[in-house]
Amino acid sequence: MPLSRLNARQLETFLAIVDCGSIARAADRVCLTPSAVSQLLGELEREVGFRLFDRTTRRVTLTAAGADFLPAATAAMTQLHAAQRSAKNIRDRASGVIRVGAPLVLCAAVLPDAIAAYRELHPKVTIRPTDVDVEHLVSSVADGEIDIALGPNQPLGDRVSATPLFESPWVVWCSPRHALARYDVVPWEVLRETAIVATGRDHEYSVTRMLSDQPEDNRVFPVEIVENVTTAFGMARAGLSVTLAPDYVQDFARSQDLIMRRTGKPETIRQICLYHARERALSPAAAGFHTFLIRWVDDWYRALTR
């Protein structure tokens, strides 16, 4: 028997008759006329090849064969309703698991509030934030380890697309007691004589690249390179050094009692982007969060730097 010839309307009608015990009451349940219900029942009985009910003038009761068929029909309708709910959730972007990666500070300072705001609109969504080193953002997206990445601009290659969100200058973070605190704008020749702690290879991409075409006496080099930005901030807080980081870290930096000073020209301006894979379409849930982040992060940065 071809499965395609059994349809949901027939099964729904069959279950309504079982539950209601009469054709007339079942017709009210499924919003059809009694004759339409009888017609659907007749079609179903022809498809299954046996009689499902014994009919009297007052009631209909299941035959033995109908009773045997009932669990399968119930299970089929349960699965169909689950499929309908799933389809609705997908359309509404109300379900799914989204994996989002960002460097430590963005992951801590931006993503939790963005996730909370999105879940107010889509409470069933599951978003899993992950700390990702700046230099691994693009490869993590390309390899499918995360769906979306938020972070500074990186070389893309052919497998990843980037949506620019905002531009952030790299600035000096130091203790209020540090000698550089007296400057409004720190000249590079002064910074060159200052102990600087840098975080990972991102310093090489940003500050070193920025000054690569400058005279030797304008270039700056870190005296210490640490893995974690929190360590760099701790050393700056203790007055052991200063550190260079984008201005968007300011909430975290100020929680460490650090102050911000701009650098002289040329400044490093980092573009913060949202990354996703070219070769894999985002799920509806991830696409919805991607669109939401574009607006939300822009508003967040505007408020931060106002």
Short mmCIF file of all heavy atoms in Angstrom, two decimals, residues 142-200:
data_model
loop_
_atom_site.label_atom_id
_atom_site.label_comp_id
_atom_site.label_asym_id
_atom_site.label_seq_id
_atom_site.Cartn_x
_atom_site.Cartn_y
_atom_site.Cartn_z
N ALA A 142 35.41 28.96 9.28
CA ALA A 142 35.59 28.18 8.05
C ALA A 142 35.48 26.68 8.31
O ALA A 142 34.91 25.94 7.50
CB ALA A 142 36.95 28.51 7.44
N ASP A 143 35.99 26.22 9.45
CA ASP A 143 36.00 24.79 9.76
C ASP A 143 34.71 24.31 10.40
O ASP A 143 34.57 23.13 10.72
CB ASP A 143 37.18 24.46 10.67
CG ASP A 143 38.52 24.68 9.99
OD1 ASP A 143 38.55 24.71 8.74
OD2 ASP A 143 39.53 24.83 10.70
N GLY A 144 33.74 25.23 10.61
CA GLY A 144 32.46 24.83 11.17
C GLY A 144 32.46 24.64 12.67
O GLY A 144 31.50 24.10 13.22
N GLU A 145 33.49 25.10 13.37
CA GLU A 145 33.51 24.98 14.82
C GLU A 145 32.51 25.94 15.46
O GLU A 145 31.99 25.66 16.54
CB GLU A 145 34.92 25.24 15.34
CG GLU A 145 35.95 24.23 14.87
CD GLU A 145 37.36 24.61 15.27
OE1 GLU A 145 37.50 25.52 16.11
OE2 GLU A 145 38.31 24.00 14.75
N ILE A 146 32.30 27.08 14.82
CA ILE A 146 31.29 28.05 15.27
C ILE A 146 30.51 28.52 14.06
O ILE A 146 30.97 28.42 12.92
CB ILE A 146 31.93 29.25 16.00
CG1 ILE A 146 33.02 29.90 15.15
CG2 ILE A 146 32.47 28.85 17.36
CD1 ILE A 146 33.66 31.13 15.78
N ASP A 147 29.30 29.03 14.29
CA ASP A 147 28.46 29.52 13.20
C ASP A 147 28.78 30.96 12.84
O ASP A 147 28.80 31.34 11.66
CB ASP A 147 26.98 29.42 13.59
CG ASP A 147 26.57 28.01 13.93
OD1 ASP A 147 26.79 27.12 13.09
OD2 ASP A 147 26.03 27.79 15.04
N ILE A 148 29.01 31.78 13.86
CA ILE A 148 29.23 33.22 13.70
C ILE A 148 30.41 33.61 14.58
O ILE A 148 30.56 33.08 15.69
CB ILE A 148 27.98 34.02 14.13
CG1 ILE A 148 26.75 33.60 13.32
CG2 ILE A 148 28.21 35.52 13.98
CD1 ILE A 148 25.45 34.14 13.91
N ALA A 149 31.22 34.54 14.11
CA ALA A 149 32.30 35.09 14.93
C ALA A 149 32.20 36.60 14.95
O ALA A 149 31.85 37.23 13.94
CB ALA A 149 33.67 34.65 14.41
N LEU A 150 32.52 37.18 16.09
CA LEU A 150 32.55 38.63 16.26
C LEU A 150 33.96 39.01 16.67
O LEU A 150 34.47 38.48 17.67
CB LEU A 150 31.55 39.05 17.34
CG LEU A 150 31.58 40.52 17.79
CD1 LEU A 150 31.12 41.44 16.66
CD2 LEU A 150 30.69 40.70 19.03
N GLY A 151 34.61 39.89 15.92
CA GLY A 151 35.97 40.26 16.31
C GLY A 151 36.64 41.19 15.32
O GLY A 151 36.06 41.58 14.31
N PRO A 152 37.90 41.54 15.62
CA PRO A 152 38.65 42.46 14.75
C PRO A 152 38.87 41.88 13.36
O PRO A 152 38.86 40.67 13.17
CB PRO A 152 39.98 42.63 15.49
CG PRO A 152 39.70 42.25 16.90
CD PRO A 152 38.66 41.18 16.82
N ASN A 153 39.07 42.80 12.40
CA ASN A 153 39.27 42.37 11.01
C ASN A 153 40.50 41.48 10.90
O ASN A 153 41.54 41.73 11.50
CB ASN A 153 39.40 43.58 10.10
CG ASN A 153 40.51 44.53 10.53
OD1 ASN A 153 40.54 44.99 11.66
ND2 ASN A 153 41.43 44.82 9.63
N GLN A 154 40.33 40.42 10.12
CA GLN A 154 41.38 39.44 9.88
C GLN A 154 41.39 39.09 8.39
O GLN A 154 40.37 39.25 7.70
CB GLN A 154 41.11 38.17 10.69
CG GLN A 154 41.22 38.34 12.20
CD GLN A 154 42.66 38.50 12.65
OE1 GLN A 154 43.47 37.59 12.57
NE2 GLN A 154 42.98 39.70 13.12
N PRO A 155 42.51 38.60 7.86
CA PRO A 155 42.50 38.10 6.48
C PRO A 155 41.47 36.99 6.33
O PRO A 155 41.39 36.09 7.17
CB PRO A 155 43.93 37.57 6.30
CG PRO A 155 44.74 38.30 7.32
CD PRO A 155 43.84 38.51 8.49
N LEU A 156 40.65 37.05 5.27
CA LEU A 156 39.49 36.18 5.16
C LEU A 156 39.74 34.89 4.39
O LEU A 156 39.22 33.83 4.76
CB LEU A 156 38.34 36.93 4.48
CG LEU A 156 37.72 38.08 5.27
CD1 LEU A 156 36.64 38.76 4.44
CD2 LEU A 156 37.14 37.58 6.58
N GLY A 157 40.46 34.93 3.30
CA GLY A 157 40.51 33.77 2.42
C GLY A 157 39.21 33.65 1.64
O GLY A 157 38.41 34.59 1.56
N ASP A 158 39.00 32.48 1.05
CA ASP A 158 37.85 32.28 0.17
C ASP A 158 36.64 31.68 0.86
O ASP A 158 35.57 31.60 0.26
CB ASP A 158 38.24 31.35 -1.00
CG ASP A 158 39.33 31.94 -1.87
OD1 ASP A 158 39.38 33.19 -1.97
OD2 ASP A 158 40.13 31.16 -2.43
N ARG A 159 36.78 31.25 2.11
CA ARG A 159 35.71 30.46 2.74
C ARG A 159 34.85 31.24 3.72
O ARG A 159 33.85 30.70 4.21
CB ARG A 159 36.33 29.26 3.45
CG ARG A 159 37.13 28.34 2.52
CD ARG A 159 37.93 27.32 3.31
NE ARG A 159 37.05 26.46 4.10
CZ ARG A 159 37.49 25.68 5.09
NH1 ARG A 159 38.78 25.70 5.42
NH2 ARG A 159 36.64 24.91 5.75
N VAL A 160 35.22 32.48 4.00
CA VAL A 160 34.52 33.23 5.05
C VAL A 160 34.19 34.63 4.55
O VAL A 160 34.97 35.25 3.83
CB VAL A 160 35.39 33.32 6.33
CG1 VAL A 160 34.74 34.21 7.38
CG2 VAL A 160 35.63 31.91 6.90
N SER A 161 33.00 35.11 4.92
CA SER A 161 32.57 36.48 4.62
C SER A 161 32.55 37.30 5.90
O SER A 161 32.35 36.76 6.99
CB SER A 161 31.17 36.48 4.00
OG SER A 161 31.17 35.89 2.73
N ALA A 162 32.75 38.60 5.76
CA ALA A 162 32.75 39.50 6.91
C ALA A 162 31.81 40.66 6.67
O ALA A 162 31.76 41.22 5.57
CB ALA A 162 34.16 40.02 7.18
N THR A 163 31.06 41.02 7.71
CA THR A 163 30.19 42.19 7.68
C THR A 163 30.77 43.22 8.64
O THR A 163 30.80 42.99 9.86
CB THR A 163 28.76 41.84 8.13
OG1 THR A 163 28.23 40.83 7.28
CG2 THR A 163 27.87 43.08 8.09
N PRO A 164 31.30 44.37 8.16
CA PRO A 164 31.86 45.38 9.06
C PRO A 164 30.78 45.95 9.98
O PRO A 164 29.65 46.23 9.54
CB PRO A 164 32.39 46.45 8.11
CG PRO A 164 32.53 45.76 6.78
CD PRO A 164 31.43 44.73 6.75
N LEU A 165 31.14 46.16 11.26
CA LEU A 165 30.19 46.69 12.23
C LEU A 165 30.59 48.08 12.72
O LEU A 165 29.78 49.00 12.69
CB LEU A 165 30.07 45.74 13.42
CG LEU A 165 29.60 44.32 13.12
CD1 LEU A 165 29.52 43.50 14.40
CD2 LEU A 165 28.25 44.32 12.40
N PHE A 166 31.81 48.24 13.20
CA PHE A 166 32.26 49.56 13.64
C PHE A 166 33.78 49.59 13.62
O PHE A 166 34.44 48.55 13.50
CB PHE A 166 31.73 49.91 15.04
CG PHE A 166 32.22 49.02 16.15
CD1 PHE A 166 33.40 49.30 16.83
CD2 PHE A 166 31.49 47.91 16.54
CE1 PHE A 166 33.86 48.49 17.85
CE2 PHE A 166 31.93 47.09 17.57
CZ PHE A 166 33.11 47.38 18.23
N GLU A 167 34.35 50.79 13.73
CA GLU A 167 35.79 50.98 13.76
C GLU A 167 36.21 51.44 15.14
O GLU A 167 35.57 52.31 15.73
CB GLU A 167 36.24 51.99 12.70
CG GLU A 167 36.03 51.48 11.28
CD GLU A 167 36.58 52.44 10.25
OE1 GLU A 167 36.72 53.65 10.58
OE2 GLU A 167 36.87 52.00 9.12
N SER A 168 37.28 50.84 15.64
CA SER A 168 37.73 51.10 17.01
C SER A 168 39.21 51.42 17.02
O SER A 168 40.03 50.63 16.53
CB SER A 168 37.47 49.86 17.88
OG SER A 168 38.01 50.02 19.18
N PRO A 169 39.61 52.59 17.55
CA PRO A 169 41.05 52.90 17.61
C PRO A 169 41.74 52.11 18.73
O PRO A 169 41.16 51.87 19.79
CB PRO A 169 41.06 54.40 17.91
CG PRO A 169 39.78 54.64 18.64
CD PRO A 169 38.78 53.68 18.06
N TRP A 170 42.98 51.72 18.48
CA TRP A 170 43.82 51.19 19.54
C TRP A 170 44.32 52.36 20.37
O TRP A 170 44.77 53.37 19.83
CB TRP A 170 44.98 50.39 18.96
CG TRP A 170 44.61 48.97 18.71
CD1 TRP A 170 43.58 48.52 17.95
CD2 TRP A 170 45.24 47.81 19.23
NE1 TRP A 170 43.53 47.16 17.95
CE2 TRP A 170 44.56 46.69 18.73
CE3 TRP A 170 46.35 47.60 20.07
CZ2 TRP A 170 44.92 45.38 19.05
CZ3 TRP A 170 46.72 46.32 20.37
CH2 TRP A 170 46.01 45.22 19.87
N VAL A 171 44.25 52.19 21.70
CA VAL A 171 44.60 53.27 22.62
C VAL A 171 45.51 52.72 23.70
O VAL A 171 45.69 51.51 23.85
CB VAL A 171 43.33 53.88 23.26
CG1 VAL A 171 42.45 54.52 22.19
CG2 VAL A 171 42.54 52.82 24.04
N VAL A 172 46.08 53.64 24.45
CA VAL A 172 46.92 53.28 25.59
C VAL A 172 46.05 53.15 26.82
O VAL A 172 45.21 54.01 27.10
CB VAL A 172 48.00 54.36 25.83
CG1 VAL A 172 48.83 54.03 27.07
CG2 VAL A 172 48.89 54.51 24.61
N TRP A 173 46.24 52.04 27.57
CA TRP A 173 45.58 51.86 28.87
C TRP A 173 46.66 51.84 29.94
O TRP A 173 47.63 51.09 29.85
CB TRP A 173 44.79 50.56 28.90
CG TRP A 173 43.62 50.58 27.96
CD1 TRP A 173 43.53 50.02 26.73
CD2 TRP A 173 42.37 51.22 28.20
NE1 TRP A 173 42.31 50.27 26.17
CE2 TRP A 173 41.57 51.01 27.05
CE3 TRP A 173 41.84 51.96 29.25
CZ2 TRP A 173 40.28 51.51 26.94
CZ3 TRP A 173 40.55 52.45 29.15
CH2 TRP A 173 39.78 52.22 28.00
N CYS A 174 46.47 52.69 30.95
CA CYS A 174 47.50 52.79 31.99
C CYS A 174 46.86 53.11 33.33
O CYS A 174 45.69 53.51 33.40
CB CYS A 174 48.55 53.83 31.63
SG CYS A 174 47.93 55.53 31.56
N SER A 175 47.62 52.96 34.37
CA SER A 175 47.18 53.35 35.71
C SER A 175 47.12 54.88 35.80
O SER A 175 47.93 55.57 35.18
CB SER A 175 48.17 52.81 36.74
OG SER A 175 47.98 53.45 37.99
N PRO A 176 46.18 55.43 36.57
CA PRO A 176 46.14 56.90 36.76
C PRO A 176 47.43 57.44 37.38
O PRO A 176 47.71 58.63 37.26
CB PRO A 176 44.95 57.11 37.70
CG PRO A 176 44.13 55.87 37.58
CD PRO A 176 45.08 54.75 37.28
N ARG A 177 48.20 56.55 38.00
CA ARG A 177 49.45 56.98 38.65
C ARG A 177 50.65 56.88 37.71
O ARG A 177 51.75 57.30 38.05
CB ARG A 177 49.70 56.11 39.89
CG ARG A 177 48.60 56.22 40.94
CD ARG A 177 48.84 55.30 42.12
NE ARG A 177 48.90 53.88 41.71
CZ ARG A 177 47.82 53.13 41.48
NH1 ARG A 177 46.61 53.66 41.61
NH2 ARG A 177 47.95 51.87 41.13
N HIS A 178 50.42 56.34 36.51
CA HIS A 178 51.53 56.16 35.57
C HIS A 178 51.91 57.52 34.95
O HIS A 178 51.07 58.41 34.80
CB HIS A 178 51.12 55.18 34.48
CG HIS A 178 52.26 54.67 33.69
ND1 HIS A 178 52.84 55.38 32.64
CD2 HIS A 178 52.98 53.51 33.77
CE1 HIS A 178 53.83 54.67 32.12
NE2 HIS A 178 53.93 53.53 32.79
N ALA A 179 53.16 57.62 34.54
CA ALA A 179 53.65 58.89 33.95
C ALA A 179 52.88 59.27 32.69
O ALA A 179 52.71 60.46 32.39
CB ALA A 179 55.14 58.77 33.65
N LEU A 180 52.38 58.29 31.93
CA LEU A 180 51.66 58.61 30.70
C LEU A 180 50.27 59.19 30.98
O LEU A 180 49.65 59.74 30.06
CB LEU A 180 51.52 57.36 29.83
CG LEU A 180 52.79 56.76 29.26
CD1 LEU A 180 52.44 55.73 28.18
CD2 LEU A 180 53.70 57.83 28.66
N ALA A 181 49.78 59.10 32.21
CA ALA A 181 48.44 59.60 32.52
C ALA A 181 48.36 61.12 32.33
O ALA A 181 47.27 61.66 32.15
CB ALA A 181 48.06 59.22 33.96
N ARG A 182 49.50 61.80 32.35
CA ARG A 182 49.47 63.27 32.21
C ARG A 182 49.24 63.71 30.77
O ARG A 182 48.96 64.88 30.52
CB ARG A 182 50.76 63.88 32.75
CG ARG A 182 52.02 63.50 31.98
CD ARG A 182 53.26 64.01 32.71
NE ARG A 182 54.50 63.65 32.03
CZ ARG A 182 55.10 64.40 31.11
NH1 ARG A 182 54.55 65.55 30.75
NH2 ARG A 182 56.22 64.00 30.56
N TYR A 183 49.38 62.79 29.83
CA TYR A 183 49.19 63.13 28.42
C TYR A 183 47.71 62.97 28.03
O TYR A 183 47.05 62.02 28.45
CB TYR A 183 50.01 62.22 27.51
CG TYR A 183 51.50 62.45 27.58
CD1 TYR A 183 52.28 61.71 28.47
CD2 TYR A 183 52.12 63.37 26.74
CE1 TYR A 183 53.66 61.89 28.52
CE2 TYR A 183 53.50 63.56 26.80
CZ TYR A 183 54.26 62.83 27.69
OH TYR A 183 55.62 63.02 27.74
N ASP A 184 47.21 63.88 27.21
CA ASP A 184 45.92 63.65 26.56
C ASP A 184 46.10 62.76 25.34
O ASP A 184 45.28 61.89 25.06
CB ASP A 184 45.29 64.98 26.13
CG ASP A 184 44.87 65.83 27.32
OD1 ASP A 184 44.45 65.24 28.34
OD2 ASP A 184 44.98 67.06 27.23
N VAL A 185 47.17 63.00 24.60
CA VAL A 185 47.55 62.18 23.46
C VAL A 185 49.01 61.80 23.66
O VAL A 185 49.87 62.68 23.83
CB VAL A 185 47.38 62.94 22.13
CG1 VAL A 185 47.87 62.09 20.96
CG2 VAL A 185 45.92 63.33 21.93
N VAL A 186 49.29 60.50 23.65
CA VAL A 186 50.65 60.02 23.94
C VAL A 186 51.45 59.96 22.64
O VAL A 186 51.10 59.20 21.73
CB VAL A 186 50.62 58.63 24.60
CG1 VAL A 186 52.04 58.17 24.92
CG2 VAL A 186 49.76 58.66 25.86
N PRO A 187 52.52 60.73 22.51
CA PRO A 187 53.35 60.67 21.31
C PRO A 187 54.05 59.31 21.22
O PRO A 187 54.42 58.70 22.23
CB PRO A 187 54.37 61.80 21.52
CG PRO A 187 53.80 62.67 22.59
CD PRO A 187 52.99 61.77 23.45
N TRP A 188 54.27 58.87 19.99
CA TRP A 188 54.91 57.57 19.81
C TRP A 188 56.34 57.57 20.33
O TRP A 188 56.84 56.55 20.83
CB TRP A 188 54.87 57.16 18.34
CG TRP A 188 53.51 56.68 17.93
CD1 TRP A 188 52.60 57.35 17.19
CD2 TRP A 188 52.91 55.43 18.28
NE1 TRP A 188 51.44 56.60 17.05
CE2 TRP A 188 51.62 55.41 17.70
CE3 TRP A 188 53.33 54.32 19.02
CZ2 TRP A 188 50.75 54.33 17.85
CZ3 TRP A 188 52.47 53.25 19.17
CH2 TRP A 188 51.19 53.27 18.59
N GLU A 189 57.02 58.70 20.22
CA GLU A 189 58.40 58.73 20.71
C GLU A 189 58.45 58.57 22.23
O GLU A 189 59.41 58.03 22.77
CB GLU A 189 59.12 60.01 20.27
CG GLU A 189 58.45 61.31 20.68
CD GLU A 189 57.46 61.83 19.63
OE1 GLU A 189 56.95 61.02 18.83
OE2 GLU A 189 57.22 63.05 19.63
N VAL A 190 57.40 59.04 22.92
CA VAL A 190 57.31 58.82 24.37
C VAL A 190 56.95 57.36 24.65
O VAL A 190 57.51 56.72 25.55
CB VAL A 190 56.28 59.78 25.00
CG1 VAL A 190 56.05 59.44 26.47
CG2 VAL A 190 56.74 61.22 24.84
N LEU A 191 56.01 56.84 23.90
CA LEU A 191 55.57 55.47 24.11
C LEU A 191 56.71 54.48 23.86
O LEU A 191 56.80 53.44 24.51
CB LEU A 191 54.39 55.16 23.17
CG LEU A 191 53.53 53.93 23.51
CD1 LEU A 191 52.98 54.00 24.92
CD2 LEU A 191 52.40 53.81 22.51
N ARG A 192 57.61 54.85 22.95
CA ARG A 192 58.73 53.97 22.64
C ARG A 192 59.63 53.77 23.84
O ARG A 192 60.29 52.73 23.98
CB ARG A 192 59.54 54.55 21.46
CG ARG A 192 60.63 53.63 20.95
CD ARG A 192 61.35 54.26 19.77
NE ARG A 192 62.29 53.32 19.17
CZ ARG A 192 63.53 53.13 19.62
NH1 ARG A 192 63.96 53.84 20.65
NH2 ARG A 192 64.32 52.26 19.03
N GLU A 193 59.65 54.73 24.74
CA GLU A 193 60.50 54.64 25.93
C GLU A 193 59.76 54.06 27.13
O GLU A 193 60.29 54.08 28.25
CB GLU A 193 61.03 56.05 26.29
CG GLU A 193 61.77 56.74 25.17
CD GLU A 193 62.98 55.92 24.72
OE1 GLU A 193 63.65 55.34 25.59
OE2 GLU A 193 63.24 55.86 23.50
N THR A 194 58.56 53.55 26.91
CA THR A 194 57.70 53.06 27.99
C THR A 194 57.61 51.54 27.95
O THR A 194 57.56 50.95 26.86
CB THR A 194 56.29 53.67 27.86
OG1 THR A 194 56.39 55.10 27.86
CG2 THR A 194 55.39 53.22 29.01
N ALA A 195 57.58 50.92 29.10
CA ALA A 195 57.39 49.47 29.17
C ALA A 195 55.95 49.13 28.75
O ALA A 195 54.99 49.64 29.33
CB ALA A 195 57.65 48.96 30.59
N ILE A 196 55.84 48.29 27.74
CA ILE A 196 54.53 47.91 27.20
C ILE A 196 54.36 46.41 27.32
O ILE A 196 55.25 45.64 26.97
CB ILE A 196 54.41 48.31 25.71
CG1 ILE A 196 54.58 49.83 25.54
CG2 ILE A 196 53.09 47.84 25.13
CD1 ILE A 196 54.68 50.26 24.09
N VAL A 197 53.20 45.99 27.81
CA VAL A 197 52.85 44.57 27.80
C VAL A 197 51.79 44.38 26.72
O VAL A 197 50.84 45.16 26.61
CB VAL A 197 52.33 44.08 29.18
CG1 VAL A 197 51.11 44.85 29.63
CG2 VAL A 197 52.06 42.59 29.15
N ALA A 198 51.98 43.37 25.89
CA ALA A 198 51.07 43.12 24.77
C ALA A 198 50.42 41.76 24.94
O ALA A 198 50.93 40.87 25.65
CB ALA A 198 51.82 43.18 23.44
N THR A 199 49.29 41.60 24.27
CA THR A 199 48.54 40.36 24.34
C THR A 199 48.68 39.59 23.03
O THR A 199 48.15 40.00 22.00
CB THR A 199 47.05 40.63 24.62
OG1 THR A 199 46.93 41.38 25.81
CG2 THR A 199 46.29 39.33 24.76
N GLY A 200 49.40 38.49 23.07
CA GLY A 200 49.45 37.56 21.96
C GLY A 200 49.94 38.18 20.66
O GLY A 200 50.53 39.25 20.61
#
